[in-house]
Amino acid sequence: MKTKPYLSLEDVKRMATAAEAEATRNQWAVTIAIVDDGGHLLWLQRLDGAAPMTAMIAPGKARSSAIGRKESKGYEDMINGGRTAYLSVPVDGLLEGGVPIMADGHCLGAVGVSGVKSTEDAQVARAAIAALG
């Protein structure tokens, strides 16, 4: 039987703390979502001032990144590049701001962030992942 790494609750809390710190340092009101490798929600945190809609968008970004095993920006770029048929894929969150968590060639899950510019959302997500070391 093969084995693979996975996210522990301690890992998730460490990432959430780092994401919140990055957002707070930049005065960004965002929602932070962390999912496992199947796209199942492990953490959802809506910072003060974040729009209610961000609590729906952030998990979608994380989910699409985890199950696709790549940054959600790739889907947005594909659609913006003219492949509009991809809009019919039954996945939400096809916007920049979802970043996969990779270790030893395995996708452990992803972080999705929503609330500011998409590049800033991705910056917060990457700060979360960097906390894992």
Side-chain angles (χ1 to χ4, degrees):
M1 177 168 289
K2 295 182 180 185
T3 60
K4 67 178 183 176
Y6 66 92
L7 294 173
S8 68
L9 180 58
E10 181 181 321
D11 295 332
V12 172
K13 288 180 179 180
R14 188 176 325 125
M15 287 189 296
T17 299
E20 180 180 359
E22 180 71 13
T24 301
R25 180 174 31 261
N26 289 290
Q27 298 180 339
W28 294 335
V30 298
T31 293
I32 302 152
I34 303 172
V35 301
D36 67 11
D37 61 336
H40 304 100
L41 191 60
L42 299 173
W43 188 273
L44 182 68
Q45 181 176 1
R46 187 172 136 213
L47 302 183
D48 292 343
M53 181 182 285
T54 63
M56 295 173 64
I57 296 170
K61 289 179 177 185
R63 190 175 309 106
S64 65
S65 182
I67 63 177
R69 312 287 196 256
K70 64 181 184 178
E71 290 200 28
S72 57
K73 181 183 186 326
Y75 301 112
E76 182 177 5
D77 290 346
M78 193 180 336
I79 293 163
N80 289 341
R83 192 162 180 213
T84 55
Y86 212 83
L87 290 169
S88 65
V89 171
V91 178
D92 56 356
L94 302 176
L95 303 166
E96 183 175 7
V99 181
I101 305 161
M102 304 298 293
D104 301 325
H106 296 277
C107 181
L108 310 182
V111 179
V113 179
S114 179
V116 286
K117 294 177 185 175
S118 59
T119 55
E120 295 166 347
D121 289 341
Q123 178 180 327
V124 174
R126 286 190 191 93
I129 295 167
L132 291 178

